[in-house]
Amino acid sequence: MSELLDRFEFDEAVERVYRLGEAAERAGNPREAAVHFRIAADQHVGDAALRLAQALFALGRTEEAAHWCEAALADGFTEAAELMQSDVAARQRFLEHAARIMVGAPVSDWMPPAAPMQLLAPSAVHARTQALRALDQKYGGIACRAAVLEHLALVEPMILAGDEAMWTAVAEVQELAGWTTFDSGLPGLALPHFERALTLARQAENEALIASVLTRAGRMFLHHNAPDDALRAFQLGSVAAHNSWADRRALDDPQRAIASLTTKVGSYDEGFVRARTIALTALARNHLAVGDLAKAGGFTENALAAAATLRSARFDDHLRWLAQEARRAGASELVEQISARFARCH
């Protein structure tokens, strides 16, 4: 009788541990979940081995996770076979998403869960992000990840009512959320943040931010023994960085910029009006720099025609820079073209 009672109490205690693992899993704490599920899995309680493997994949402990996947398969949980492929598959999905980002394919496959409760200026979002980034650099991701996620929950819905400045600001928060999540030992939970950061950065046509996100993702892959995936992320990031270089206002190598921008213009489909017109103005500036006024005028004309229905302060800034350079080059017809655009818009 005593042995039966002891066994009953033991089984009840293990069941409570399993429930604690479930609670930790719901709370988004895979580290704590793994502690509880490991105890339950050792006793072959339900699907504890499968749940433990899921938590371990989130923690980046791939080899241990694979061991528990095999244990789950032995216990009859056939979905463990699919889970064993998920760690590699998640990286591949991310890299495929990044590749689509780089060629300008539609990527608006994610939306915030709710409408914004309040609106902040992008500068206020950026200032808070910078303060949190400083905390991360000084104290580490574990110390500030919760604060970063709180900040993200507040600002993420604002993209619904925002423009490119807000998309950039929120993308920076997503990037920081991914980085602090990785630094907290949760690489499996970091990828969705990096993916959303890329989506928003592309909406804002912020090539420099795209390069930054891909570089951080690559460093995470490298840290977790996926050098091939890291190399691919770095390669894509290098393309974005090159595009960002080509977009700069002042260029000291016009011929190289012309080659890069020509390729870039050809990569945009009809939906990327602002990005294409900005690249066309950059081509016009660089042709001015090499003294080819005819081609500069042609690219300006193409940009203005493509931007007939575009309303973008950023595009207008690029036109003003082009007009300043055209005046210095004595290209009066080009200046008149741009002046006519502003006359119509104002």
Side-chain angles (χ1 to χ4, degrees):
M1 182 66 179
S2 176
E3 290 181 4
L4 288 174
L5 183 59
D6 289 345
R7 182 65 194 181
F8 174 79
E9 291 178 347
F10 178 79
D11 290 345
E12 189 176 18
V14 173
E15 181 69 20
R16 284 198 301 271
V17 169
Y18 177 89
R19 299 303 173 198
L20 288 172
E22 286 187 315
E25 186 181 65
R26 286 193 299 271
N29 189 341
R31 184 173 286 104
E32 183 179 343
V35 171
H36 296 303
F37 283 137
R38 182 176 284 103
I39 295 171
D42 282 336
Q43 301 302 317
H44 299 276
V45 175
D47 63 350
L50 181 65
R51 308 286 276 273
L52 173 58
Q54 289 174 324
L56 291 170
F57 274 126
L59 294 168
R61 290 151 65 173
T62 306
E63 291 184 8
E64 190 179 359
H67 164 76
W68 285 105
C69 277
E70 292 173 0
L73 280 171
D75 288 341
F77 294 96
T78 56
E79 57 265 52
E82 182 179 344
L83 181 61
M84 290 181 72
Q85 301 299 319
S86 67
D87 185 58
V88 173
R91 292 197 300 272
Q92 293 307 307
R93 283 195 302 272
F94 173 81
L95 291 170
E96 289 168 5
H97 178 79
R100 291 196 300 273
I101 288 285
M102 295 311 303
V103 299
V107 291
S108 298
D109 51 4
W110 153 80
M111 293 293 286
M117 299 298 292
Q118 59 176 303
L119 290 176
L120 299 175
S123 58
V125 176
H126 179 73
R128 174 66 173 164
T129 304
Q130 287 297 96
L132 289 168
R133 197 182 302 279
L135 289 177
D136 167 58
Q137 291 169 348
K138 186 172 183 179
Y139 298 107
I142 295 174
C144 64
R145 177 174 178 257
V148 172
L149 294 181
E150 287 178 7
H151 179 42
L152 178 60
L154 174 66
V155 304
E156 188 177 58
M158 295 180 192
I159 65 170
L160 297 173
D163 55 12
E164 60 223 37
M166 181 60 76
W167 298 333
T168 292
V170 177
E172 290 174 344
V173 185
Q174 289 282 11
E175 180 190 39
L176 182 58
W179 187 249
T180 55
T181 297
F182 157 51
D183 198 48
S184 297
L186 305 170
L189 301 183
L191 273 180
H193 292 300
F194 286 141
E195 186 170 311
R196 292 169 185 174
L198 287 178
T199 297
L200 291 171
R202 171 51 71 211
Q203 284 183 231
E205 293 300 334
N206 192 323
E207 299 281 356
L209 183 53
I210 290 172
S212 175
V213 173
L214 287 169
T215 298
R216 290 177 184 272
R219 289 168 66 184
M220 182 176 76
F221 294 155
L222 200 59
H223 183 83
H224 286 281
N225 301 314
D228 291 341
D229 292 335
L231 178 60
R232 180 60 176 152
F234 291 143
Q235 288 171 334
L236 290 169
S238 177
V239 173
H242 188 73
N243 288 342
S244 176
W245 173 86
D247 277 344
R248 289 186 305 171
R249 181 180 175 185
L251 296 170
D252 53 11
D253 190 349
Q255 293 290 3
R256 182 180 173 195
I258 287 169
S260 176
L261 287 162
T262 300
T263 301
K264 187 175 181 181
V265 167
S267 71
Y268 290 124
D269 61 25
E270 294 180 357
F272 287 83
V273 175
R274 182 182 56 240
R276 187 170 184 276
T277 52
I278 288 175
L280 286 169
T281 62
L283 273 169
R285 294 199 321 269
N286 283 281
H287 279 291
L288 273 177
V290 297
D292 194 335
L293 301 188
K295 285 189 176 180
F299 282 117
T300 302
E301 183 177 352
N302 290 342
L304 293 171
T309 60
L310 179 66
R311 297 294 178 266
S312 167
R314 187 151 60 98
F315 174 64
D316 288 347
D317 284 341
H318 280 268
L319 282 180
R320 291 188 182 95
W321 299 337
L322 175 56
Q324 291 170 5
E325 293 162 15
R327 287 190 188 93
R328 288 196 293 268
S332 57
E333 291 185 7
L334 198 156
V335 174
E336 290 175 4
Q337 283 179 281
I338 298 171
S339 298
R341 150 82 180 194
F342 286 117
R344 288 193 302 271
C345 294
H346 301 91

